[in-house]
Amino acid sequence: MSDKNIQTVDLLISHRQILLRSRDYDEKLSQWGQGNISQGAVIHKDYVIFDPLPEDAFGANVNIKVENVFKLDENAQRRIVVPFFVTDKHKLQVASATEKFDLNLDLCGEIYSLYYEICEGDEIYYNFSLVPSKGAVDAKFLLDDPWGGVKDHHLKEGVF
């Protein structure tokens, strides 16, 4: 499915990472510190990497949506919000360690609240929801989850 507000890709997820970026690949920004491993995320202004949780390599649908208001998925097992800046909308990609997909979404601003959800229906799938924002939101967990995520616990940015 693809239009200017949603794209769905079948992504081969491996090396315990799924990411959204609006700039070229950067090895330095792709590093995980011990703190990042603990919180399950590496957060940079325009380059965010999340732990998809399952350890094996597998294919999963990833939905990338632009919404005016975030609509939570009732199948979400983990939900995080982070600030996301669109540095170059022509370089917007969703990727894993092994493959990447260019995104062509109707982005009208520079600052977004990025909602990341790991969902389990018949199969595991992932949602990235971009909601235009006037300012950067605080990065935090939005629900308690079985992997250590605590609702309203703030996440640190950068590599640590």
Side-chain angles (χ1 to χ4, degrees), residues 28-111:
K28 183 179 164 193
L29 297 178
S30 298
Q31 300 305 307
W32 288 75
Q34 276 307 120
N36 300 110
I37 292 168
S38 295
Q39 76 178 12
V42 180
I43 304 165
H44 299 288
K45 167 182 157 167
D46 55 3
Y47 200 105
V48 293
I49 310 169
F50 297 101
D51 183 343
L53 297 175
E55 293 182 26
D56 297 330
F58 62 99
N61 281 335
V62 180
N63 304 302
I64 307 94
K65 305 177 252 187
V66 177
E67 302 178 308
N68 289 326
V69 177
F70 173 64
K71 297 174 190 89
L72 61 89
D73 189 315
E74 63 187 36
N75 294 322
Q77 304 294 307
R78 169 167 276 186
R79 185 176 297 124
I80 294 173
V81 64
V82 300
F84 188 76
F85 292 77
V86 177
T87 304
D88 186 340
K89 70 179 185 177
H90 302 291
K91 293 186 177 181
L92 188 66
Q93 293 182 327
V94 64
S96 67
T98 55
E99 64 181 356
K100 63 187 176 193
F101 289 92
D102 293 332
L103 301 173
N104 184 19
L105 296 169
D106 189 16
L107 300 173
C108 56
E110 181 180 300
I111 304 171

Coordinates of all heavy atoms in Angstrom, one line a residue, residues 28-111:
K28 N 28.7 6.5 12.2 CA 28.8 7.1 13.5 C 27.5 7.2 14.3 O 27.4 6.9 15.5 CB 29.5 8.5 13.4 CG 29.7 9.2 14.7 CD 30.4 10.5 14.5 CE 30.3 11.4 15.8 NZ 30.6 12.8 15.5
L29 N 26.4 7.5 13.5 CA 25.1 7.6 14.1 C 24.5 6.3 14.4 O 23.5 6.2 15.1 CB 24.2 8.5 13.3 CG 24.6 10.0 13.1 CD1 23.6 10.7 12.2 CD2 24.7 10.7 14.4
S30 N 25.0 5.3 13.8 CA 24.5 3.9 13.9 C 25.0 3.1 15.0 O 24.7 1.9 15.2 CB 24.7 3.1 12.6 OG 24.1 3.8 11.5
Q31 N 25.9 3.7 15.8 CA 26.5 3.0 17.0 C 25.5 2.9 18.2 O 24.8 3.8 18.4 CB 27.8 3.6 17.4 CG 28.8 3.7 16.3 CD 29.1 2.3 15.7 OE1 29.4 1.4 16.4 NE2 29.0 2.2 14.4
W32 N 25.6 1.8 18.9 CA 24.8 1.5 20.1 C 25.8 1.5 21.3 O 26.7 0.8 21.3 CB 24.1 0.2 20.0 CG 23.0 0.1 19.1 CD1 23.1 0.0 17.7 CD2 21.6 0.1 19.4 NE1 21.8 -0.1 17.2 CE2 20.9 0.0 18.2 CE3 20.9 0.1 20.6 CZ2 19.5 -0.1 18.1 CZ3 19.5 0.1 20.5 CH2 18.8 0.0 19.3
G33 N 25.4 2.3 22.3 CA 26.1 2.3 23.6 C 25.4 1.4 24.5 O 24.2 0.9 24.2
Q34 N 25.9 1.1 25.7 CA 25.2 0.2 26.6 C 23.9 0.8 27.1 O 22.9 0.1 27.2 CB 26.1 0.0 27.9 CG 27.1 -1.2 27.7 CD 26.5 -2.5 27.3 OE1 26.8 -3.0 26.2 NE2 25.5 -3.0 28.0
G35 N 23.9 2.1 27.2 CA 22.6 2.8 27.6 C 21.6 2.7 26.5 O 20.4 2.5 26.8
N36 N 22.0 2.8 25.3 CA 21.1 2.6 24.2 C 20.5 1.2 24.1 O 19.3 1.0 23.9 CB 21.7 2.9 22.8 CG 22.3 4.3 22.7 OD1 23.5 4.5 22.7 ND2 21.4 5.3 22.7
I37 N 21.3 0.2 24.4 CA 20.9 -1.2 24.4 C 19.8 -1.3 25.5 O 18.8 -1.9 25.2 CB 22.1 -2.1 24.6 CG1 22.9 -2.1 23.3 CG2 21.6 -3.5 24.8 CD1 24.3 -2.8 23.5
S38 N 20.1 -0.8 26.6 CA 19.1 -0.9 27.8 C 17.8 -0.2 27.4 O 16.7 -0.8 27.8 CB 19.7 -0.2 29.0 OG 20.8 -0.9 29.4
Q39 N 17.8 0.9 26.8 CA 16.5 1.6 26.5 C 15.9 1.2 25.2 O 14.8 1.5 24.9 CB 16.7 3.1 26.5 CG 17.4 3.7 25.3 CD 17.4 5.3 25.4 OE1 17.2 5.9 26.5 NE2 17.8 5.9 24.3
G40 N 16.6 0.4 24.4 CA 16.1 -0.1 23.1 C 16.0 0.9 22.0 O 15.2 0.7 21.0
A41 N 16.8 2.0 22.1 CA 16.8 3.0 21.0 C 18.0 3.9 21.0 O 18.6 4.1 22.0 CB 15.6 3.9 21.2
V42 N 18.4 4.3 19.8 CA 19.4 5.3 19.6 C 18.7 6.5 18.9 O 18.1 6.3 17.8 CB 20.5 4.8 18.6 CG1 21.6 5.9 18.5 CG2 21.2 3.5 19.2
I43 N 18.7 7.6 19.6 CA 17.9 8.7 19.1 C 18.8 9.9 18.7 O 19.5 10.4 19.6 CB 16.9 9.2 20.2 CG1 16.0 8.0 20.6 CG2 16.0 10.4 19.7 CD1 15.3 8.2 21.9
H44 N 18.7 10.3 17.5 CA 19.4 11.5 17.0 C 18.3 12.3 16.3 O 17.2 11.8 16.0 CB 20.5 11.1 15.9 CG 21.6 10.2 16.5 ND1 22.5 10.7 17.4 CD2 21.9 8.9 16.3 CE1 23.4 9.7 17.7 NE2 23.0 8.6 17.0
K45 N 18.6 13.5 16.1 CA 17.6 14.5 15.5 C 16.9 14.0 14.3 O 15.7 14.1 14.2 CB 18.4 15.8 15.3 CG 17.8 16.8 14.4 CD 18.7 18.0 14.2 CE 18.2 18.7 13.0 NZ 18.8 20.0 12.8
D46 N 17.6 13.4 13.3 CA 17.0 13.0 12.1 C 17.4 11.6 11.7 O 17.3 11.2 10.5 CB 17.5 14.0 11.0 CG 19.0 14.1 10.8 OD1 19.7 13.4 11.6 OD2 19.4 14.9 10.0
Y47 N 17.7 10.8 12.7 CA 18.2 9.4 12.5 C 17.9 8.6 13.8 O 18.6 8.8 14.8 CB 19.7 9.5 12.3 CG 20.4 8.4 11.6 CD1 20.8 8.6 10.3 CD2 20.7 7.2 12.3 CE1 21.6 7.6 9.7 CE2 21.5 6.2 11.7 CZ 21.9 6.4 10.3 OH 22.6 5.4 9.7
V48 N 16.9 7.8 13.7 CA 16.5 7.0 14.9 C 16.5 5.5 14.6 O 16.1 5.1 13.6 CB 15.1 7.5 15.5 CG1 15.1 8.9 16.0 CG2 14.0 7.3 14.5
I49 N 17.0 4.8 15.6 CA 17.1 3.3 15.5 C 16.5 2.7 16.7 O 16.7 3.1 17.8 CB 18.6 2.9 15.5 CG1 19.4 3.7 14.4 CG2 18.7 1.4 15.2 CD1 20.9 3.4 14.6
F50 N 15.6 1.7 16.4 CA 14.9 1.0 17.5 C 15.2 -0.4 17.5 O 15.5 -1.0 16.4 CB 13.4 1.2 17.3 CG 12.9 2.6 17.4 CD1 12.6 3.4 16.3 CD2 12.8 3.2 18.7 CE1 12.2 4.7 16.4 CE2 12.4 4.5 18.8 CZ 12.1 5.3 17.6
D51 N 15.2 -1.1 18.6 CA 15.3 -2.5 18.7 C 14.0 -3.1 18.4 O 13.0 -2.8 19.0 CB 15.7 -2.8 20.2 CG 15.9 -4.3 20.4 OD1 15.5 -5.2 19.6 OD2 16.5 -4.7 21.5
P52 N 13.9 -4.0 17.4 CA 12.6 -4.6 17.0 C 12.2 -5.7 17.9 O 11.1 -6.2 17.8 CB 12.9 -5.1 15.6 CG 14.4 -5.4 15.6 CD 15.0 -4.4 16.5
L53 N 13.0 -6.1 18.9 CA 12.9 -7.1 19.9 C 13.1 -8.5 19.5 O 14.0 -9.1 20.1 CB 11.6 -6.9 20.7 CG 11.5 -5.5 21.4 CD1 10.1 -5.4 22.0 CD2 12.5 -5.4 22.4
P54 N 12.5 -9.1 18.5 CA 12.9 -10.5 18.2 C 14.3 -10.5 17.7 O 14.8 -9.6 17.0 CB 11.9 -10.9 17.0 CG 10.7 -10.0 17.2 CD 11.3 -8.7 17.8
E55 N 15.1 -11.5 18.1 CA 16.5 -11.6 17.8 C 16.8 -12.1 16.5 O 17.9 -11.8 15.9 CB 17.2 -12.4 18.9 CG 17.1 -11.8 20.3 CD 17.9 -12.6 21.3 OE1 18.8 -13.4 21.0 OE2 17.5 -12.4 22.5
D56 N 16.1 -13.0 15.9 CA 16.4 -13.6 14.6 C 16.1 -12.6 13.5 O 15.4 -11.6 13.6 CB 15.5 -14.9 14.4 CG 15.8 -15.9 15.4 OD1 17.0 -16.0 15.9 OD2 14.9 -16.7 15.7
A57 N 16.7 -12.9 12.3 CA 16.3 -12.1 11.1 C 15.0 -12.6 10.6 O 14.7 -13.8 10.6 CB 17.4 -12.4 10.0
F58 N 14.1 -11.7 10.2 CA 12.8 -12.0 9.8 C 12.2 -10.9 8.9 O 12.7 -9.7 9.0 CB 11.9 -12.3 11.0 CG 11.7 -11.1 11.9 CD1 10.5 -10.3 11.8 CD2 12.6 -10.8 12.8 CE1 10.4 -9.3 12.6 CE2 12.5 -9.7 13.7 CZ 11.3 -9.0 13.6
G59 N 11.2 -11.2 8.1 CA 10.5 -10.2 7.4 C 9.3 -9.7 8.1 O 8.6 -10.5 8.7
A60 N 9.0 -8.4 8.1 CA 7.8 -7.9 8.7 C 7.4 -6.7 7.9 O 8.1 -5.9 7.3 CB 8.1 -7.5 10.1
N61 N 6.1 -6.4 8.0 CA 5.5 -5.2 7.4 C 5.8 -4.1 8.3 O 5.6 -4.2 9.5 CB 4.0 -5.4 7.2 CG 3.6 -6.2 6.0 OD1 4.4 -6.3 5.0 ND2 2.5 -6.8 6.0
V62 N 6.2 -3.0 7.7 CA 6.4 -1.7 8.4 C 5.6 -0.7 7.8 O 5.7 -0.4 6.5 CB 7.9 -1.3 8.3 CG1 8.2 0.0 9.1 CG2 8.8 -2.4 8.9
N63 N 4.7 -0.1 8.5 CA 3.8 1.0 8.1 C 4.4 2.3 8.5 O 4.6 2.5 9.7 CB 2.4 0.8 8.7 CG 1.8 -0.6 8.5 OD1 1.7 -1.0 7.3 ND2 1.5 -1.3 9.5
I64 N 4.5 3.2 7.5 CA 5.0 4.5 7.8 C 3.9 5.5 7.4 O 3.5 5.5 6.2 CB 6.3 4.8 7.0 CG1 7.4 3.8 7.3 CG2 6.9 6.2 7.5 CD1 7.4 2.7 6.3
K65 N 3.4 6.2 8.4 CA 2.2 7.1 8.2 C 2.5 8.5 8.5 O 3.2 8.8 9.5 CB 1.1 6.6 9.0 CG 0.7 5.1 8.9 CD -0.4 4.7 9.8 CE 0.2 3.8 10.9 NZ -0.8 3.3 11.8
V66 N 1.8 9.4 7.8 CA 1.8 10.8 8.2 C 0.4 11.1 8.7 O -0.6 10.8 7.9 CB 2.1 11.8 7.0 CG1 2.0 13.2 7.5 CG2 3.5 11.5 6.5
E67 N 0.2 11.5 9.9 CA -1.1 11.7 10.5 C -1.2 13.1 11.1 O -0.2 13.6 11.7 CB -1.4 10.7 11.5 CG -1.4 9.3 11.0 CD -1.6 8.2 12.1 OE1 -1.0 8.2 13.1 OE2 -2.5 7.4 11.8
N68 N -2.3 13.7 11.2 CA -2.5 15.0 11.9 C -2.6 14.8 13.4 O -2.1 15.6 14.2 CB -3.7 15.7 11.4 CG -3.6 16.3 10.0 OD1 -2.5 16.7 9.6 ND2 -4.6 16.3 9.2
V69 N -3.1 13.6 13.8 CA -3.2 13.2 15.2 C -2.9 11.8 15.3 O -3.3 11.0 14.4 CB -4.7 13.4 15.7 CG1 -4.8 13.0 17.1 CG2 -5.1 14.9 15.6
F70 N -2.1 11.4 16.3 CA -1.7 10.0 16.4 C -2.8 9.1 16.8 O -3.6 9.5 17.7 CB -0.6 9.9 17.5 CG -0.2 8.5 17.9 CD1 0.4 7.7 16.9 CD2 -0.5 8.0 19.1 CE1 0.7 6.4 17.2 CE2 -0.1 6.7 19.4 CZ 0.5 5.9 18.5
K71 N -3.0 8.0 16.1 CA -4.0 7.0 16.4 C -3.3 5.8 16.8 O -2.6 5.1 16.0 CB -4.8 6.8 15.1 CG -5.6 8.0 14.6 CD -6.3 7.7 13.3 CE -6.8 8.9 12.6 NZ -5.9 9.6 11.8
L72 N -3.5 5.4 18.1 CA -2.7 4.3 18.6 C -3.3 3.0 18.1 O -4.5 2.9 17.7 CB -2.7 4.3 20.1 CG -4.0 4.2 20.9 CD1 -4.5 2.8 21.2 CD2 -3.9 4.9 22.2
D73 N -2.4 2.0 17.9 CA -2.8 0.7 17.4 C -3.1 -0.2 18.7 O -2.2 -0.3 19.5 CB -1.7 0.1 16.6 CG -2.0 -1.2 15.9 OD1 -2.7 -2.1 16.5 OD2 -1.7 -1.3 14.7
E74 N -4.3 -0.8 18.7 CA -4.6 -1.6 19.9 C -3.8 -2.8 20.0 O -3.8 -3.5 21.1 CB -6.1 -1.9 19.9 CG -6.6 -2.7 18.8 CD -8.1 -2.9 18.7 OE1 -8.8 -1.9 19.1 OE2 -8.5 -4.0 18.3
N75 N -3.1 -3.2 19.0 CA -2.2 -4.4 19.0 C -0.8 -4.1 19.4 O 0.0 -5.0 19.4 CB -2.2 -5.1 17.6 CG -3.5 -5.6 17.2 OD1 -4.2 -6.2 18.0 ND2 -3.8 -5.5 15.9
A76 N -0.5 -2.8 19.8 CA 0.8 -2.4 20.2 C 1.3 -3.1 21.5 O 0.5 -3.1 22.5 CB 0.9 -0.9 20.3
Q77 N 2.5 -3.7 21.4 CA 3.1 -4.3 22.6 C 4.1 -3.3 23.2 O 4.5 -3.4 24.4 CB 3.8 -5.6 22.2 CG 2.9 -6.6 21.6 CD 1.8 -7.1 22.5 OE1 2.1 -7.5 23.6 NE2 0.5 -7.0 22.1
R78 N 4.7 -2.5 22.3 CA 5.6 -1.4 22.8 C 5.2 -0.1 22.0 O 4.9 -0.2 20.8 CB 7.1 -1.8 22.5 CG 8.1 -0.6 22.6 CD 9.5 -1.1 22.7 NE 9.8 -1.5 24.0 CZ 11.0 -1.8 24.4 NH1 12.0 -1.8 23.6 NH2 11.2 -2.2 25.7
R79 N 5.3 1.0 22.7 CA 5.0 2.3 22.1 C 5.9 3.3 22.6 O 6.0 3.5 23.8 CB 3.5 2.7 22.3 CG 3.1 3.9 21.6 CD 1.6 4.2 21.8 NE 0.8 3.2 21.3 CZ -0.2 2.5 22.0 NH1 -0.4 2.8 23.3 NH2 -0.9 1.6 21.4
I80 N 6.6 4.0 21.7 CA 7.6 5.1 22.1 C 7.3 6.3 21.2 O 6.9 6.2 20.1 CB 9.0 4.6 21.8 CG1 9.4 3.4 22.7 CG2 10.0 5.7 21.9 CD1 10.7 2.7 22.4
V81 N 7.5 7.5 21.8 CA 7.4 8.7 21.0 C 8.8 9.4 21.1 O 9.4 9.4 22.2 CB 6.3 9.6 21.4 CG1 6.5 10.2 22.9 CG2 6.1 10.8 20.4
V82 N 9.3 9.9 20.0 CA 10.5 10.7 20.0 C 10.4 11.9 19.1 O 9.5 11.9 18.2 CB 11.7 9.8 19.5 CG1 11.9 8.6 20.4 CG2 11.6 9.4 18.1
P83 N 11.2 12.9 19.3 CA 11.2 14.0 18.3 C 11.9 13.6 17.0 O 12.9 12.8 17.1 CB 12.0 15.1 19.0 CG 12.9 14.4 20.0 CD 12.1 13.2 20.4
F84 N 11.5 14.0 15.9 CA 12.1 13.7 14.6 C 12.1 14.9 13.7 O 11.0 15.5 13.4 CB 11.4 12.5 13.9 CG 12.1 12.0 12.7 CD1 13.2 11.2 12.9 CD2 11.6 12.3 11.4 CE1 13.9 10.7 11.8 CE2 12.3 11.8 10.3 CZ 13.4 11.0 10.5
F85 N 13.3 15.3 13.2 CA 13.4 16.4 12.3 C 13.7 15.9 10.9 O 14.5 15.0 10.7 CB 14.6 17.3 12.8 CG 14.3 18.0 14.1 CD1 14.4 17.3 15.3 CD2 14.0 19.3 14.1 CE1 14.2 17.9 16.5 CE2 13.8 20.0 15.3 CZ 13.9 19.3 16.5
V86 N 12.9 16.5 10.0 CA 13.1 16.1 8.6 C 14.1 17.0 8.0 O 13.8 18.2 7.6 CB 11.8 16.1 7.8 CG1 12.0 15.8 6.3 CG2 10.8 15.1 8.4
T87 N 15.4 16.6 7.9 CA 16.5 17.4 7.4 C 16.4 17.4 5.8 O 16.6 18.5 5.3 CB 17.8 16.7 7.8 OG1 17.9 16.6 9.2 CG2 19.0 17.6 7.3
D88 N 16.1 16.3 5.2 CA 15.9 16.2 3.8 C 14.8 15.2 3.4 O 15.1 14.0 3.5 CB 17.2 15.9 3.1 CG 17.2 15.9 1.6 OD1 16.1 15.9 1.0 OD2 18.3 16.0 1.0
K89 N 13.6 15.7 3.1 CA 12.5 14.8 2.8 C 12.8 13.8 1.6 O 12.2 12.8 1.5 CB 11.2 15.5 2.7 CG 11.0 16.3 1.4 CD 9.7 17.0 1.4 CE 9.4 17.7 0.1 NZ 8.0 18.2 0.1
H90 N 13.8 14.2 0.8 CA 14.1 13.4 -0.4 C 15.1 12.2 0.0 O 15.3 11.4 -0.8 CB 14.7 14.2 -1.5 CG 13.8 15.3 -2.0 ND1 12.7 15.1 -2.6 CD2 13.9 16.6 -1.8 CE1 12.1 16.2 -2.9 NE2 12.8 17.2 -2.4
K91 N 15.5 12.2 1.3 CA 16.4 11.2 1.8 C 15.7 10.4 2.8 O 16.3 9.6 3.5 CB 17.7 11.8 2.3 CG 18.5 12.3 1.2 CD 19.9 12.8 1.7 CE 20.7 13.3 0.5 NZ 22.0 13.7 0.9
L92 N 14.4 10.5 3.0 CA 13.7 9.8 4.0 C 13.7 8.3 3.7 O 13.2 7.9 2.6 CB 12.2 10.3 4.1 CG 11.4 9.8 5.3 CD1 12.0 10.3 6.6 CD2 10.0 10.3 5.2
Q93 N 14.1 7.5 4.6 CA 14.2 6.1 4.4 C 13.8 5.3 5.7 O 14.1 5.8 6.8 CB 15.6 5.6 4.0 CG 16.1 6.1 2.7 CD 17.5 5.6 2.4 OE1 18.3 5.4 3.3 NE2 17.7 5.3 1.1
V94 N 13.2 4.1 5.5 CA 13.1 3.2 6.6 C 14.1 2.1 6.2 O 14.2 1.7 5.0 CB 11.7 2.6 6.7 CG1 11.2 1.9 5.5 CG2 11.5 1.8 8.0
A95 N 14.8 1.5 7.2 CA 15.9 0.6 6.9 C 16.1 -0.4 8.0 O 15.7 -0.2 9.2 CB 17.1 1.3 6.6
S96 N 16.8 -1.4 7.7 CA 17.4 -2.3 8.7 C 18.9 -2.4 8.3 O 19.4 -1.7 7.5 CB 16.7 -3.7 8.6 OG 17.1 -4.3 7.4
A97 N 19.6 -3.3 8.9 CA 21.0 -3.5 8.6 C 21.2 -4.0 7.2 O 22.3 -3.8 6.6 CB 21.7 -4.4 9.7
T98 N 20.2 -4.7 6.7 CA 20.4 -5.4 5.4 C 19.7 -4.8 4.2 O 20.0 -5.1 3.1 CB 20.0 -6.9 5.5 OG1 18.6 -6.9 6.0 CG2 20.9 -7.6 6.5
E99 N 18.7 -3.9 4.4 CA 18.0 -3.3 3.3 C 17.4 -2.0 3.7 O 17.2 -1.7 4.9 CB 17.0 -4.2 2.6 CG 15.8 -4.7 3.5 CD 14.9 -5.6 2.7 OE1 15.1 -5.9 1.6 OE2 14.0 -6.1 3.4
K100 N 17.1 -1.2 2.7 CA 16.5 0.1 2.9 C 15.5 0.4 1.8 O 15.5 -0.1 0.7 CB 17.6 1.2 2.9 CG 18.3 1.4 1.6 CD 19.4 2.3 1.7 CE 20.2 2.3 0.3 NZ 21.4 2.9 0.4
F101 N 14.5 1.3 2.2 CA 13.4 1.7 1.3 C 13.3 3.2 1.3 O 13.2 3.8 2.4 CB 12.1 1.0 1.6 CG 12.0 -0.4 1.4 CD1 12.3 -1.3 2.4 CD2 11.7 -0.9 0.1 CE1 12.3 -2.7 2.1 CE2 11.6 -2.3 -0.1 CZ 11.9 -3.2 0.9
D102 N 13.3 3.8 0.1 CA 13.0 5.2 0.1 C 11.6 5.5 0.3 O 10.7 4.7 -0.2 CB 13.4 5.8 -1.3 CG 14.9 5.7 -1.6 OD1 15.7 5.8 -0.6 OD2 15.3 5.6 -2.8
L103 N 11.3 6.5 1.0 CA 9.9 6.9 1.3 C 9.5 8.2 0.6 O 10.3 9.1 0.5 CB 9.7 7.0 2.8 CG 10.0 5.8 3.6 CD1 10.0 6.2 5.1 CD2 9.1 4.7 3.3
N104 N 8.3 8.2 0.1 CA 7.8 9.4 -0.6 C 6.4 9.7 0.1 O 5.4 9.3 -0.4 CB 7.6 9.1 -2.1 CG 7.1 10.3 -2.9 OD1 7.3 11.4 -2.4 ND2 6.6 10.1 -4.0
L105 N 6.6 10.5 1.1 CA 5.4 10.9 1.9 C 5.2 12.4 1.8 O 6.1 13.1 1.5 CB 5.6 10.5 3.4 CG 5.7 9.0 3.7 CD1 6.2 8.8 5.1 CD2 4.4 8.3 3.4
D106 N 3.9 12.8 2.1 CA 3.6 14.2 2.0 C 3.9 14.9 3.3 O 3.1 15.0 4.2 CB 2.1 14.3 1.7 CG 1.6 15.7 1.4 OD1 2.5 16.6 1.1 OD2 0.4 16.0 1.5
L107 N 5.2 15.3 3.4 CA 5.7 15.9 4.6 C 5.6 17.4 4.4 O 6.2 18.0 3.4 CB 7.1 15.5 4.9 CG 7.3 14.0 5.1 CD1 8.8 13.6 5.2 CD2 6.6 13.5 6.4
C108 N 4.9 18.1 5.3 CA 4.7 19.5 5.1 C 5.5 20.4 6.1 O 5.6 21.6 6.0 CB 3.2 19.8 5.3 SG 2.6 19.3 6.9
G109 N 6.2 19.7 7.0 CA 7.0 20.5 8.0 C 8.3 19.9 8.2 O 8.8 19.0 7.5
E110 N 9.0 20.4 9.2 CA 10.4 20.0 9.6 C 10.4 19.2 10.9 O 11.2 18.2 11.0 CB 11.3 21.2 9.7 CG 12.7 20.8 10.0 CD 13.6 22.1 10.1 OE1 13.7 22.8 9.1 OE2 14.2 22.3 11.2
I111 N 9.5 19.5 11.8 CA 9.5 18.9 13.1 C 8.3 18.0 13.3 O 7.2 18.4 13.0 CB 9.5 19.9 14.3 CG1 10.7 20.9 14.1 CG2 9.6 19.2 15.6 CD1 10.7 22.1 15.1

